[in-house]
Amino acid sequence: MCRSIKTLYNFEPPATEQEIRAAALQFVRKLSGFSVPSKANEEAFERAVQEVAATAARLLESMVTTAEPKDRAVEAERARARSAARFGAVPG
């Protein structure tokens, strides 16, 4: 589950609210052990996702670096190349 959480810091363009929320959702899913909460736990689950997303957004905004931002397209291509080398080419 958590393998789908991607690094969001120091990218150009910066991480969107949707990307931060998606990472928060995956984190809460991993912690809770549920991909979809029961009705009884739905409110607590959603509150946790909102709180984790807000905390993650504050973290990303407050961090500083002297490194140049990474280009999303370049990093995505590198990830595809690593995947192809590891698992073989995907038929397309």
Side-chain angles (χ1 to χ4, degrees):
M1 240 187 275
C2 281
R3 290 182 186 174
S4 62
I5 297 176
K6 306 293 185 224
T7 301
L8 300 177
Y9 180 63
N10 199 29
F11 276 95
E12 192 57 46
T16 65
E17 284 184 35
Q18 292 81 15
E19 289 172 313
I20 294 170
R21 180 174 164 69
L25 177 61
Q26 288 299 318
F27 183 72
V28 172
R29 285 176 172 171
K30 183 67 171 186
L31 286 178
S32 69
F34 297 105
S35 59
V36 178
S38 66
K39 287 287 184 188
N41 293 319
E42 197 170 44
E43 185 179 326
F45 191 91
E46 183 56 33
R47 185 175 52 249
V49 172
Q50 290 173 0
E51 290 173 1
V52 169
T55 300
R58 283 194 305 274
L59 171 67
L60 293 173
E61 290 169 3
S62 66
M63 293 175 64
V64 294
T65 184
T66 57
E68 289 294 317
K70 294 174 253 175
D71 183 286
R72 287 180 182 274
V74 170
E75 294 301 316
E77 183 55 40
R78 287 180 184 161
R80 282 189 290 276
R82 284 191 305 271
S83 181
R86 183 173 180 190
F87 301 111
V90 177

